[in-house]
Amino acid sequence: SNMSVESRKYAIEGPTGLCGIDSAVYNLAVLCGWQETDLDLACYYGASPRGDWGFLDQYGGYNKNFHSMCMFGKLLGCFENRIAVKRLDADTYLQGGVSPDGRKGMLLVADYRSKKTYLELKISGMENARIKAEYLDQSHDLFLCDATYENGILRLPKKTAGSGAFLVYFERD
């Protein structure tokens, strides 16, 4: 092939690559959007564990698509009771769940290719909740970020403009 090793690596793992952050957040955006449709079955192209279309990089490490699927799996695995959400804007997709007693909740935020460096969302029903938020971007796999929740406003800081995803955990007494 005429492609250099560096060019191929960027095409696969770069921000807009097959296994980069845009791909990972696009996966989440689509999954969030599908939840309120009649669609009940889909096939994810990354079903192979290894290779350019899989969840592992050439060295056996997890890629961004793997982490995005884990985020969605955590939400679905923990909270069968979904909450009503509205799409924030053309770039930002949401999906959330709450425990049967209403004390715990989780919100998935998929911000696809936006120019924003922070997000603000109005959240109701979780007043006085403690939060923690995990963040996924091109430079970082899931890590805790400095999100805040005060007076019903959730603030999520992004490290840079572009695609990023958050998984926010709520817990109240």
Side-chain angles (χ1 to χ4, degrees):
S1 132
N2 294 332
M3 185 178 274
S4 70
V5 171
E6 293 81 19
S7 294
R8 184 177 190 292
K9 181 174 174 56
Y10 188 79
I12 301 298
E13 298 175 14
T16 60
L18 294 174
C19 298
I21 193 65
D22 279 359
S23 178
V25 175
Y26 182 80
N27 293 337
L28 292 174
V30 169
L31 288 170
C32 288
W34 280 351
Q35 297 309 302
E36 302 305 322
T37 71
D38 293 333
L39 189 64
D40 63 2
L41 179 66
C43 180
Y44 173 60
Y45 63 80
S48 172
R50 290 190 183 270
D52 295 345
W53 296 94
F55 294 125
L56 302 176
D57 64 22
Q58 62 184 348
Y59 305 108
Y62 299 125
N63 64 28
K64 301 299 178 189
N65 289 324
F66 172 86
H67 292 293
S68 71
M69 294 296 101
C70 286
M71 293 170 84
F72 198 77
K74 283 181 190 177
L75 173 65
L76 292 185
C78 293
F79 299 98
E80 290 183 22
N81 299 328
R82 287 194 322 233
I83 57 172
V85 294
K86 292 183 182 175
R87 203 162 129 192
L88 186 61
D89 54 35
D91 305 317
T92 309
Y93 298 77
L94 308 169
Q95 188 60 236
V98 66
S99 63
D101 65 4
R103 290 184 49 246
K104 294 182 181 181
M106 193 179 287
L107 180 67
L108 177 64
V109 181
D111 193 43
Y112 181 66
R113 289 187 173 176
S114 82
K115 305 283 187 238
K116 299 181 281 286
T117 56
Y118 71 94
L119 302 172
E120 284 191 354
L121 297 94
K122 184 178 179 184
I123 308 290
S124 60
M126 278 291 161
E127 290 72 20
N128 301 314
R130 297 174 301 281
I131 67 160
K132 73 174 185 175
E134 295 176 326
Y135 179 55
L136 176 69
D137 69 5
Q138 181 61 26
S139 301
H140 306 89
D141 292 336
L142 287 175
F143 72 98
L144 291 176
C145 67
D146 295 326
T148 60
Y149 180 56
E150 296 174 13
N151 300 318
I153 304 296
L154 176 65
R155 290 180 181 82
L156 302 169
K158 292 172 59 182
K159 296 289 184 186
T160 61
S163 294
F166 297 87
L167 191 58
V168 185
Y169 303 81
F170 296 83
E171 186 170 1
R172 60 187 180 159
D173 298 324

